[in-house]
Amino acid sequence: MSSSADGTTASLYVPVDCEIIAVSDLTPHEKLFRLRLKNGAPLGHLPGQFVQVSLLGWEEAPISVASSPTRTDYFEMGIRRTGSLTSAMHELTAGDLIGVRGPFGRPFELPKLRGHDLLLISGGCGLAPLRSLIHYCEDRPEEFGALTILYGAKSPGDVLFKDDFALWETSARFACSRTVDQVPEGDCYSGGVGLITSLIPPLEIDPHRTVAVLVGPPVMYRAVIAELKKKGLSSDRIVVSLERHMRCGVGKCGHCTIEHLYCCQDGPVFWLNEIEHLRGAL
Amino acid sequence: MQNYISQQNFNALLDSLISQGKRVVAPRTNAGTVLYEPLANAADMVIDQLPRRSGKEAFFPLCEDIMTYQKEGQKIELQDIDPTRFLETVLVGVRPCDAAAIPVLDAVFSWDYKDEFFLERRKKTTIIGLACTQADDACFCTAVGLTPADPKGADLFLTPLEGGGYACETQSEKGEALVANNKELFAEPNGYKPLPLAEPQTGKFDLKKVKAWLDEHFEDPAWDSIATRCVGCGACAFVCPACHCFDIVDEGTEKQGKRRKNWDACGFWKFTHHASGHNPRDQQPKRYRNRIMHKFKYYDDKFGQTLCTGCGRCIRLCPVGIDIADILQDIDKIEVKVKVEENS
């Protein structure tokens, strides 16, 4: 078996080298990393997939790809500083190397989304994985019907991808709404305040040609799904991407299981009707 | 095809395999504990004892290197492990409860992605199974559908005979090759009688009935009494022939070290803990429930097999006396009660 020094390896568990091209701040806690595989090949992912990011000495963590495969020169990941690996990652700068394994997991099912109106709903960090799909829609608008983006963050300071949002909000192709749960005193903020669920009742949607895609923190799903159902969306028209503690990423190590499913391989993207009956899924 | 081999010739067979450079793994005493370990001499084998841990570690070691790494400035050197260099192995004296778990593990290590570490070792290992003649209070293989003479998983299956030696049955091409390559050590059946088989005392439970209850009772007050004692030590998973969860960890520094696959256990609180603080199985009863569910429902739902062979190791070792066979019997009874109520 070849060493991964040349960027190729046959081993399931050995990462390949990946170069950081640029790092930018999204918020005080989140950074956007732009990366390229050292061997020059495209990552080969689809929207909704993740990679196992490897930092030597810091092990691995599953991170969603935040960019669309339609943009092949690089890929991006939005990473919150939250554990030991992500804290070490935040110390890195352009030119540094990390390792990646993947891409892994079941992506958003583009063939089934095409031709539909999409409700793209995310909360907090969930915007990072969803951004891969939003960018895909941006680049291939002819494949979809009406595109609506809903986003909720904890506070104005936690809003991710503000530059992207500025573009989406002025684009004729997207209808955007965003909200924050609360505004700290003294914060000058003029946007909407309230939970993400408050953005759904005002929408006019055709439940027969709409698919809703949800990515958010675990606490978000039940409440948002309840609102979507009030709008007449059935479970086979709601897509969720679930977060679990994935270690191997390839359906072996057992950490990410949801009943009999391996979130890393059977998911992380599921149609709601596949998992809503599983206990402990949402 | 049946054949006979004396204990002396069996030892000669193992010594010959060792001298050919094969790794011969068998029950052996190490600092007072019997474990499956590589033998230097067949005489070191204690084939009449069930090792503390199961035979799975011949394929899935407690710790194994994925790669070693060195980093200097921007220069990273990864040295990965070449599974093709794994040694040809003969795993000897494997009780039916251990051998039967091995094909069950094949399912998870070969669905979707292939785990080359497990599968390469599996390919290179010949398993010599052994009919079981000793049961203790914890044994319950017969309760989960196996028998002390079940050859499932073995390539060559031995039945101990009165007066010593073994009746041998080949179960696969690997087993046939082993006998064919050493035929001078085997003799015609000699008319000896087999030793009486072990007789586990736990009554059979209906695995379909247990699963039917689990299917419907993810939330049930019974879980509190079943799981409340569990202290999350993970001992049950570490001695289990069918548990296969692992972690991927770095042992070393940022500059140099090893990345390894180490056994893990769903009973540990950290097993499902996210860096964000969220934990889908945030309490010990939820984690113990997962252990039972995984063995008797989830693995069956995914791979059509039960993840328990009744070896009883978890019962022998649990520091707080949790007895999985008792739990299954209780579940079996609950279901019977429900059915009786429905019929009356």
PDB file of all heavy atoms in Angstrom, chain A residues 117 119 146 148 199-207 210 231:
ATOM      1  N   ASP A 117     -39.814  23.313  -5.849  1.00  0.00           N
ATOM      2  CA  ASP A 117     -39.532  24.494  -5.046  1.00  0.00           C
ATOM      3  C   ASP A 117     -38.797  24.004  -3.804  1.00  0.00           C
ATOM      4  O   ASP A 117     -39.195  22.999  -3.219  1.00  0.00           O
ATOM      5  CB  ASP A 117     -40.845  25.160  -4.586  1.00  0.00           C
ATOM      6  CG  ASP A 117     -41.642  25.728  -5.754  1.00  0.00           C
ATOM      7  OD1 ASP A 117     -41.073  25.835  -6.859  1.00  0.00           O
ATOM      8  OD2 ASP A 117     -42.832  26.050  -5.549  1.00  0.00           O
ATOM      9  N   LEU A 119     -37.395  24.741   0.078  1.00  0.00           N
ATOM     10  CA  LEU A 119     -37.357  25.552   1.299  1.00  0.00           C
ATOM     11  C   LEU A 119     -36.082  25.159   2.014  1.00  0.00           C
ATOM     12  O   LEU A 119     -35.981  24.043   2.528  1.00  0.00           O
ATOM     13  CB  LEU A 119     -38.539  25.163   2.197  1.00  0.00           C
ATOM     14  CG  LEU A 119     -39.774  26.024   2.262  1.00  0.00           C
ATOM     15  CD1 LEU A 119     -40.724  25.435   3.294  1.00  0.00           C
ATOM     16  CD2 LEU A 119     -39.408  27.446   2.642  1.00  0.00           C
ATOM     17  N   ALA A 146     -38.965  27.635  -7.243  1.00  0.00           N
ATOM     18  CA  ALA A 146     -38.729  28.756  -6.332  1.00  0.00           C
ATOM     19  C   ALA A 146     -37.806  28.318  -5.193  1.00  0.00           C
ATOM     20  O   ALA A 146     -37.927  27.217  -4.676  1.00  0.00           O
ATOM     21  CB  ALA A 146     -40.058  29.239  -5.758  1.00  0.00           C
ATOM     22  N   THR A 148     -36.310  29.271  -1.464  1.00  0.00           N
ATOM     23  CA  THR A 148     -36.494  30.093  -0.268  1.00  0.00           C
ATOM     24  C   THR A 148     -35.483  29.701   0.785  1.00  0.00           C
ATOM     25  O   THR A 148     -35.317  28.504   1.072  1.00  0.00           O
ATOM     26  CB  THR A 148     -37.921  29.904   0.299  1.00  0.00           C
ATOM     27  OG1 THR A 148     -38.861  30.151  -0.750  1.00  0.00           O
ATOM     28  CG2 THR A 148     -38.183  30.825   1.475  1.00  0.00           C
ATOM     29  N   LEU A 199     -40.639  32.040  11.096  1.00  0.00           N
ATOM     30  CA  LEU A 199     -40.487  32.410   9.682  1.00  0.00           C
ATOM     31  C   LEU A 199     -41.373  31.572   8.762  1.00  0.00           C
ATOM     32  O   LEU A 199     -41.548  31.897   7.593  1.00  0.00           O
ATOM     33  CB  LEU A 199     -39.022  32.246   9.242  1.00  0.00           C
ATOM     34  CG  LEU A 199     -37.967  33.047  10.005  1.00  0.00           C
ATOM     35  CD1 LEU A 199     -36.585  32.770   9.424  1.00  0.00           C
ATOM     36  CD2 LEU A 199     -38.287  34.547   9.949  1.00  0.00           C
ATOM     37  N   ILE A 200     -41.912  30.492   9.299  1.00  0.00           N
ATOM     38  CA  ILE A 200     -42.632  29.557   8.421  1.00  0.00           C
ATOM     39  C   ILE A 200     -44.102  29.933   8.192  1.00  0.00           C
ATOM     40  O   ILE A 200     -44.548  29.941   7.035  1.00  0.00           O
ATOM     41  CB  ILE A 200     -42.479  28.109   8.945  1.00  0.00           C
ATOM     42  CG1 ILE A 200     -40.989  27.732   8.908  1.00  0.00           C
ATOM     43  CG2 ILE A 200     -43.280  27.126   8.082  1.00  0.00           C
ATOM     44  CD1 ILE A 200     -40.633  26.477   9.640  1.00  0.00           C
ATOM     45  N   PRO A 201     -44.864  30.324   9.225  1.00  0.00           N
ATOM     46  CA  PRO A 201     -46.282  30.609   8.985  1.00  0.00           C
ATOM     47  C   PRO A 201     -46.561  31.634   7.882  1.00  0.00           C
ATOM     48  O   PRO A 201     -47.509  31.445   7.115  1.00  0.00           O
ATOM     49  CB  PRO A 201     -46.772  31.104  10.361  1.00  0.00           C
ATOM     50  CG  PRO A 201     -45.873  30.401  11.322  1.00  0.00           C
ATOM     51  CD  PRO A 201     -44.532  30.365  10.645  1.00  0.00           C
ATOM     52  N   PRO A 202     -45.751  32.714   7.746  1.00  0.00           N
ATOM     53  CA  PRO A 202     -46.074  33.692   6.689  1.00  0.00           C
ATOM     54  C   PRO A 202     -45.842  33.172   5.262  1.00  0.00           C
ATOM     55  O   PRO A 202     -46.288  33.811   4.308  1.00  0.00           O
ATOM     56  CB  PRO A 202     -45.115  34.865   6.965  1.00  0.00           C
ATOM     57  CG  PRO A 202     -44.538  34.621   8.312  1.00  0.00           C
ATOM     58  CD  PRO A 202     -44.598  33.163   8.544  1.00  0.00           C
ATOM     59  N   LEU A 203     -45.150  32.043   5.102  1.00  0.00           N
ATOM     60  CA  LEU A 203     -44.790  31.595   3.751  1.00  0.00           C
ATOM     61  C   LEU A 203     -46.013  31.100   2.995  1.00  0.00           C
ATOM     62  O   LEU A 203     -46.921  30.500   3.570  1.00  0.00           O
ATOM     63  CB  LEU A 203     -43.780  30.440   3.823  1.00  0.00           C
ATOM     64  CG  LEU A 203     -42.412  30.720   4.432  1.00  0.00           C
ATOM     65  CD1 LEU A 203     -41.631  29.409   4.501  1.00  0.00           C
ATOM     66  CD2 LEU A 203     -41.660  31.746   3.597  1.00  0.00           C
ATOM     67  N   GLU A 204     -46.003  31.362   1.680  1.00  0.00           N
ATOM     68  CA  GLU A 204     -47.011  30.739   0.822  1.00  0.00           C
ATOM     69  C   GLU A 204     -46.317  29.651   0.043  1.00  0.00           C
ATOM     70  O   GLU A 204     -45.449  29.925  -0.777  1.00  0.00           O
ATOM     71  CB  GLU A 204     -47.608  31.781  -0.126  1.00  0.00           C
ATOM     72  CG  GLU A 204     -48.604  32.676   0.569  1.00  0.00           C
ATOM     73  CD  GLU A 204     -49.284  33.622  -0.403  1.00  0.00           C
ATOM     74  OE1 GLU A 204     -49.354  33.307  -1.615  1.00  0.00           O
ATOM     75  OE2 GLU A 204     -49.736  34.683   0.050  1.00  0.00           O
ATOM     76  N   ILE A 205     -46.667  28.418   0.344  1.00  0.00           N
ATOM     77  CA  ILE A 205     -45.989  27.327  -0.365  1.00  0.00           C
ATOM     78  C   ILE A 205     -47.022  26.358  -0.932  1.00  0.00           C
ATOM     79  O   ILE A 205     -48.107  26.199  -0.387  1.00  0.00           O
ATOM     80  CB  ILE A 205     -45.003  26.557   0.553  1.00  0.00           C
ATOM     81  CG1 ILE A 205     -45.718  25.975   1.767  1.00  0.00           C
ATOM     82  CG2 ILE A 205     -43.853  27.429   0.981  1.00  0.00           C
ATOM     83  CD1 ILE A 205     -44.821  25.072   2.579  1.00  0.00           C
ATOM     84  N   ASP A 206     -46.627  25.739  -2.042  1.00  0.00           N
ATOM     85  CA  ASP A 206     -47.453  24.690  -2.627  1.00  0.00           C
ATOM     86  C   ASP A 206     -46.887  23.363  -2.127  1.00  0.00           C
ATOM     87  O   ASP A 206     -45.810  22.945  -2.561  1.00  0.00           O
ATOM     88  CB  ASP A 206     -47.372  24.776  -4.157  1.00  0.00           C
ATOM     89  CG  ASP A 206     -48.128  23.645  -4.832  1.00  0.00           C
ATOM     90  OD1 ASP A 206     -48.593  22.731  -4.108  1.00  0.00           O
ATOM     91  OD2 ASP A 206     -48.250  23.680  -6.066  1.00  0.00           O
ATOM     92  N   PRO A 207     -47.591  22.714  -1.193  1.00  0.00           N
ATOM     93  CA  PRO A 207     -47.015  21.510  -0.582  1.00  0.00           C
ATOM     94  C   PRO A 207     -46.776  20.380  -1.579  1.00  0.00           C
ATOM     95  O   PRO A 207     -46.049  19.429  -1.288  1.00  0.00           O
ATOM     96  CB  PRO A 207     -48.056  21.114   0.466  1.00  0.00           C
ATOM     97  CG  PRO A 207     -49.300  21.823   0.107  1.00  0.00           C
ATOM     98  CD  PRO A 207     -48.909  23.044  -0.664  1.00  0.00           C
ATOM     99  N   THR A 210     -43.201  21.385  -3.293  1.00  0.00           N
ATOM    100  CA  THR A 210     -42.145  21.905  -2.421  1.00  0.00           C
ATOM    101  C   THR A 210     -41.441  20.775  -1.678  1.00  0.00           C
ATOM    102  O   THR A 210     -42.078  19.816  -1.248  1.00  0.00           O
ATOM    103  CB  THR A 210     -42.745  22.879  -1.384  1.00  0.00           C
ATOM    104  OG1 THR A 210     -43.394  23.942  -2.081  1.00  0.00           O
ATOM    105  CG2 THR A 210     -41.673  23.439  -0.462  1.00  0.00           C
ATOM    106  N   LYS A 231     -48.214  23.422   7.201  1.00  0.00           N
ATOM    107  CA  LYS A 231     -48.276  23.962   5.832  1.00  0.00           C
ATOM    108  C   LYS A 231     -48.646  22.885   4.814  1.00  0.00           C
ATOM    109  O   LYS A 231     -48.644  23.127   3.607  1.00  0.00           O
ATOM    110  CB  LYS A 231     -46.921  24.565   5.433  1.00  0.00           C
ATOM    111  CG  LYS A 231     -46.635  25.900   6.109  1.00  0.00           C
ATOM    112  CD  LYS A 231     -47.420  26.997   5.431  1.00  0.00           C
ATOM    113  CE  LYS A 231     -47.206  28.337   6.103  1.00  0.00           C
ATOM    114  NZ  LYS A 231     -48.155  29.338   5.580  1.00  0.00           N
TER     115      LYS A 231
END
